[in-house]
Amino acid sequence: ESAVVLALKHTTPAPSPGVNINVTDGTVTETSGAATGAEDAGLIFAPSGFRFTDGTNPVTIGTQISAKESNLAPGAQSLYLQAIRTDTNTGACVGVFPSGTTVNVDMASQCNNPTACVAGKQVSITNNAITTPIASNPNAGVGSYTSVPLLFGANSQAAFSFTYPDAGSISLHARYNIPLQGGG
């Protein structure tokens, strides 16, 4: 008996029947011997991502005052990061993380105007009474992220506020690397 480890990167959605991977050494295949065709199911990739919401609808984050937490007046906003995916059976948008789950989400800010960030003036994200300063990136591109523990609640949403101790136009970014089932 032998084992092989394969790596796959597939960046576009692949609904049912999914992406089929065929493996052979020239004589033995993934359905040889005791294996059956039913055990050769396709890999299904569902579109997924994050969206910023007000708890109900997608939202544009409004103008904030330098060094003021985003959930305080004036200009207070209730903000959530919602993790969503397309249900492969219904096509509906559904939550990814169960309520009460803490997930480390990579977050970053990007300085748009001015195009360079000022050292020591980074955005901080607060969720579940934990404040985490996140990576600052220039307008040229986002390459640095910071892992932020976010507690997700109902509808796979994590309530958060942010503080930016400088002035200017910025963008917030979030990403999550979905771990493979079975420990990959």
Side-chain angles (χ1 to χ4, degrees):
E1 183 176 311
S2 298
V4 63
V5 176
L6 304 172
L8 171 69
K9 181 176 182 179
H10 190 79
T11 58
T12 58
S16 186
V19 175
N20 190 306
I21 300 170
N22 295 313
V23 179
T24 183
D25 70 354
T27 57
V28 177
T29 71
E30 74 272 10
T31 58
S32 296
T36 67
E39 295 171 318
D40 186 29
L43 296 172
I44 297 173
F45 295 88
S48 59
F50 290 109
R51 66 180 170 191
F52 293 98
T53 76
D54 62 6
T56 305
N57 298 304
V59 67
T60 298
I61 298 174
T63 300
Q64 299 294 315
I65 296 172
S66 176
K68 180 194 71 68
E69 207 161 338
S70 62
N71 62 340
L72 301 176
Q77 279 189 287
S78 296
L79 299 171
Y80 298 82
L81 183 66
Q82 185 178 33
I84 53 174
R85 70 171 181 82
T86 301
D87 184 290
T88 54
N89 294 320
T90 66
C93 191
V94 296
V96 174
F97 304 126
S99 182
T101 304
T102 297
V103 177
N104 288 323
V105 174
D106 292 339
M107 297 192 74
S109 66
Q110 181 179 23
C111 295
N112 300 321
N113 185 10
T115 58
C117 303
V118 176
K121 301 280 187 175
Q122 65 195 106
V123 172
S124 292
I125 302 291
T126 301
N127 167 268
N128 197 31
I130 298 170
T131 300
T132 308
I134 62 173
S136 298
N137 294 271
N139 187 272
V142 178
S144 297
Y145 286 82
T146 302
S147 181
V148 179
L150 296 177
L151 175 62
F152 285 84
N155 299 318
S156 199
Q157 296 187 99
F160 76 94
S161 62
F162 74 95
T163 305
Y164 181 45
D166 203 356
S169 175
I170 63 168
S171 297
L172 293 178
H173 297 266
R175 72 178 185 187
Y176 178 72
N177 191 14
I178 302 169
L180 297 173
Q181 290 181 346

